[in-house]
Amino acid sequence: MDVKILKAMLAHPKVKELVKKVNQTTKRTAQPGRWARLTPPARRTTAQFLFEADLHGLLKLDTLIPNAPPARWQRKAKETGPGPSPVGVSPVKPANRSHSSSKMPSKTPGKSGSKIQSTPTMAGGNRYIPNSTMQMEMANFLLTKENDPAEDSPTKKEQQKAWAVNLNGFDIEEAKILHLRGKPQNAPEGCQNNLKVLYSQKMAPGFSRKKSRYIPSKPEQVLDAPEIFNDYYLNLIDWSCQNFLAVALDDAVYLWNYGTREIIPLLQTEHPDIYISSVSWIKDGDYLAVGTSSVEVQLWDIEQQKRLRTMTGLCARVGTLSWNSCIVSSGARTGHIHHHDVRVAEHHVATLAGHTEEVCGLRWSLDGRYLASGGNDSLVNVWPCTRGGGGDSAPVQTFTQHQGAAWCPWQMNVLATGGGTRDRHIRIWNVCSGTRLSAVDTRSHVTSILWSTNYKELISAHGFAQNQLVIWKYPIMTKVAELQGHTNIILNLTMSPYGTTVASAAADETVQVWSCFEMDPIKKKEKEKANSAKSGILHHSIR
């Protein structure tokens, strides 16, 4: 610190008064012949604190120092130009002022008047409105020019437009009220905006939130089925691709049109002691195969409601039927499976012997390569396709403790089987290797299984004790929904041609329709188009 400034500070009246108080306090606390004894610690600390506070207040220099030498900027102002210098003005920063300080100049003395800087009201200014780059004059002009009378001369307008483009760089008529100058700087080559990458990329498939579909817990419609046989070894309902549901009630077969809700009686047996034991539609839906307890397989034309032929030569009732192109396979109570070619007079083309008890389920795979058969002997056999021969074929796979079977529609070599009252499991198999893919304990007798064609799911029908339908998620085999509506054991299941609806026939003499696999409307229209485009392959060949 300068010696002159220090002397001026000591000559300050407040400093002199403070030094006087300190000397008086020292005299009262001192004794002759001894060193000056200090006051108790509490009083000494208070005195020191007051002294430091007063000294700190003086060192702020918030008042004028008498007889102090002029500051550097004052000396420079005297040297550079004439004029009265502001005496007693100190160039301290606004942040260091106290409320008792004198008024500050609006500009720094000695600076050129052409460069005037206004004191900002906030530190750093308003960073959201860059005043330096905003054209406030242009905004004022755009707001006030609406009151001016319009110029009729097109030449003058073109001149004004050209002047505006040359002066401002843009057309005033197309400008916004607040227009920022300049263009944004281009990013350097190779620079990647992390925020752009973060917000422009699609969500990962694992984290996408899928909307769960609504599955009604109640049936869409309930149909009365009086005198239906309480025997889950029989297959008494089937749904055609033309949206007709065939239902066998004792000695008669009825057709229910799902679209129009019309019921059509198709046939009735000639003798009351003969009952219908199975029904199955051909793939094109024009013909219906009917199995009876009188060891016959009848073929009916639906359009003309006329029986085309009767195939005999069996030795027991026909409890199940399944089509593979022009071949209809029938399962008999004796455990035999017969193949019938409906195009020729000698219809019987092959016989398969692999069950010791009644065959209660037959399912051809969608590609026609394998036939799955389930019997009352708790065996499921997988047979290769044979178009001729007399029973020399042997099953390629045999699964025990199961009776029902269903083929996966999108994996042709995957088969689902259901267990009886002892096993009560659903198991998924690979028929090529014979390995089990998954299994689940249903805790109930499995009477029927169907795969969904719209979702990777399957639905199973059960008996005691809840008589429910359960939808399972494949391949994890977790419950998706449980549908309860029947009061007795469910006998059979069949699915609509579009794969959206399931019909269940039960021993409570009802057929209930469930809309449990509804699909997206766009996909539904595409599927309907594909099904309507298919032509009838066997329309003229069977006759």
Side-chain angles (χ1 to χ4, degrees):
M1 185 180 295
D2 197 353
V3 178
K4 294 181 180 180
I5 296 177
L6 182 59
K7 288 181 179 181
M9 290 175 58
L10 294 176
H12 197 279
K14 291 187 178 181
V15 175
K16 289 181 180 180
E17 185 180 354
L18 180 61
V19 173
K20 185 177 180 180
K21 289 181 181 181
V22 173
N23 292 336
Q24 290 177 0
T25 305
T26 306
K27 289 180 181 181
R28 287 197 304 267
T29 57
Q31 293 182 1
R34 293 186 179 183
W35 291 97
R37 186 170 59 186
L38 298 175
T39 58
R43 293 178 58 192
R44 185 184 69 232
T45 304
T46 304
Q48 290 179 352
F49 175 75
L50 293 174
F51 175 76
E52 292 177 358
D54 293 339
L55 185 60
H56 180 68
L58 291 174
L59 292 178
K60 284 184 178 180
L61 298 179
D62 55 351
T63 59
L64 296 177
I65 300 176
N67 302 325
R72 181 181 177 185
W73 62 271
Q74 292 176 339
R75 294 196 304 267
K76 189 173 181 180
K78 290 179 180 180
E79 295 174 358
T80 54
S85 62
V87 181
V89 179
S90 94
V92 294
K93 296 181 180 179
N96 295 332
R97 291 190 304 177
S98 62
H99 293 286
S100 62
S101 62
S102 60
K103 295 183 179 179
M104 296 299 299
S106 60
K107 63 180 181 178
T108 304
K111 298 291 183 179
S112 175
S114 60
K115 297 182 180 180
I116 300 176
Q117 295 181 354
S118 60
T119 304
T121 58
M122 293 177 57
N126 193 337
R127 62 189 178 94
Y128 297 107
I129 304 177
N131 295 327
S132 60
T133 60
M134 188 169 292
Q135 297 180 347
M136 302 304 297
E137 295 83 359
M138 181 60 64
N140 183 29
F141 171 74
L142 292 174
L143 290 173
T144 57
K145 78 181 183 67
E146 296 179 356
N147 300 326
D148 297 339
E151 296 291 341
D152 298 330
S153 175
T155 308
K156 191 171 183 180
K157 286 186 177 180
E158 293 178 359
Q159 291 179 355
Q160 291 178 353
K161 182 178 179 180
W163 292 341
V165 172
N166 293 331
L167 292 175
N168 302 317
F170 56 90
D171 187 7
I172 298 178
E173 297 295 335
E174 298 177 357
K176 298 180 180 178
I177 292 179
L178 294 180
H179 180 74
L180 298 179
R181 295 176 182 172
K183 296 181 180 180
Q185 296 181 356
N186 296 327
E189 187 178 356
C191 177
Q192 188 176 13
N193 191 346
N194 295 329
L195 294 179
K196 183 178 180 181
V197 174
L198 177 63
Y199 290 104
S200 62
Q201 64 183 356
K202 294 183 179 179
M203 189 177 293
F207 295 95
S208 60
R209 183 176 297 177
K210 297 182 179 179
K211 295 182 180 180
S212 58
R213 73 180 191 276
Y214 171 70
I215 302 177
S217 59
K218 300 296 181 181
E220 175 189 349
Q221 191 161 354
V222 179
L223 305 175
D224 290 329
E227 299 181 358
I228 191 171
F229 264 85
N230 185 4
D231 190 349
Y232 58 84
Y233 291 156
L234 305 181
N235 294 266
L236 303 177
I237 58 173
D238 196 21
W239 211 322
S240 74
C241 65
Q242 297 182 4
N243 230 358
F244 282 96
L245 178 64
V247 182
L249 302 178
D250 194 13
D251 59 347
V253 175
Y254 296 88
L255 304 180
W256 180 61
N257 190 327
Y258 179 74
T260 62
R261 302 299 196 264
E262 181 185 3
I263 298 176
I264 303 172
L266 179 64
L267 68 96
Q268 189 171 7
T269 59
E270 298 175 356
H271 301 282
D273 295 336
I274 300 175
Y275 58 88
I276 306 299
S277 55
S278 59
V279 291
S280 180
W281 290 97
I282 197 171
K283 187 176 181 180
D284 293 334
D286 296 327
Y287 306 102
L288 178 68
V290 179
T292 66
S293 60
S294 61
V295 299
E296 290 181 349
V297 176
Q298 300 178 6
L299 189 63
W300 285 77
D301 187 340
I302 302 306
E303 185 178 355
Q304 299 181 3
Q305 298 185 16
K306 177 182 177 181
R307 185 175 61 183
L308 299 179
R309 65 180 302 179
T310 300
M311 294 172 285
T312 58
L314 307 178
C315 52
R317 74 174 183 181
V318 181
T320 180
L321 294 167
S322 183
W323 285 87
N324 183 15
S325 186
C326 301
I327 305 295
V328 58
S329 302
S330 61
R333 200 168 196 173
T334 57
H336 293 85
I337 301 171
H338 301 277
H339 294 329
H340 309 272
D341 191 340
V342 298
R343 298 170 298 181
V344 296
E346 297 296 330
H347 56 85
H348 185 267
V349 293
T351 300
L352 305 176
H355 295 277
T356 58
E357 297 186 30
E358 181 176 9
V359 179
C360 54
L362 286 177
R363 290 290 183 275
W364 278 100
S365 61
L366 296 182
D367 57 0
R369 295 177 56 196
Y370 298 104
L371 172 67
S373 63
N376 195 24
D377 53 2
S378 298
L379 294 179
V380 173
N381 292 324
V382 179
W383 306 86
C385 178
T386 57
R387 298 300 177 91
D392 297 334
S393 176
V396 294
Q397 297 291 344
T398 300
F399 307 114
T400 59
Q401 300 299 323
H402 279 209
Q403 296 174 347
W407 292 96
C408 178
W410 61 85
Q411 287 180 305
M412 303 302 178
N413 59 336
V414 174
L415 180 70
T417 60
T421 55
R422 293 183 180 180
D423 185 77
R424 301 181 300 180
H425 280 71
I426 294 177
R427 290 185 171 88
I428 313 297
W429 306 90
N430 186 331
V431 297
C432 295
S433 60
T435 58
R436 188 185 68 186
L437 303 179
S438 58
V440 62
D441 186 2
T442 64
R443 303 180 184 274
S444 179
H445 177 201
V446 182
T447 59
S448 185
I449 302 176
L450 287 177
W451 288 86
S452 171
T453 57
N454 300 330
Y455 302 93
K456 288 192 174 182
E457 298 171 352
L458 60 153
I459 185 171
S460 58
H462 300 271
F464 182 81
Q466 297 183 7
N467 307 307
Q468 80 279 26
L469 288 85
V470 182
I471 300 176
W472 306 90
K473 187 69 175 178
Y474 176 80
I476 56 178
M477 299 304 292
T478 57
K479 280 187 180 182
V480 177
E482 192 167 324
L483 310 177
Q484 295 183 351
H486 289 287
T487 58
N488 207 333
I489 183 173
I490 301 175
L491 305 175
N492 300 117
L493 293 178
T494 185
M495 186 172 289
S496 66
Y498 304 125
T500 59
T501 310
V502 173
S504 59
D508 57 3
E509 295 189 343
T510 62
V511 175
Q512 300 185 8
V513 181
W514 308 83
S515 298
C516 52
F517 295 115
E518 287 290 341
M519 60 189 304
D520 183 77
I522 299 177
K523 294 182 179 179
K524 185 177 180 180
K525 289 183 179 179
E526 293 177 355
K527 195 170 184 180
E528 288 177 355
K529 280 185 178 181
N531 290 336
S532 62
K534 294 179 180 179
S535 59
I537 302 175
L538 306 178
H539 187 73
H540 301 288
S541 60
I542 290 179
R543 295 196 184 99

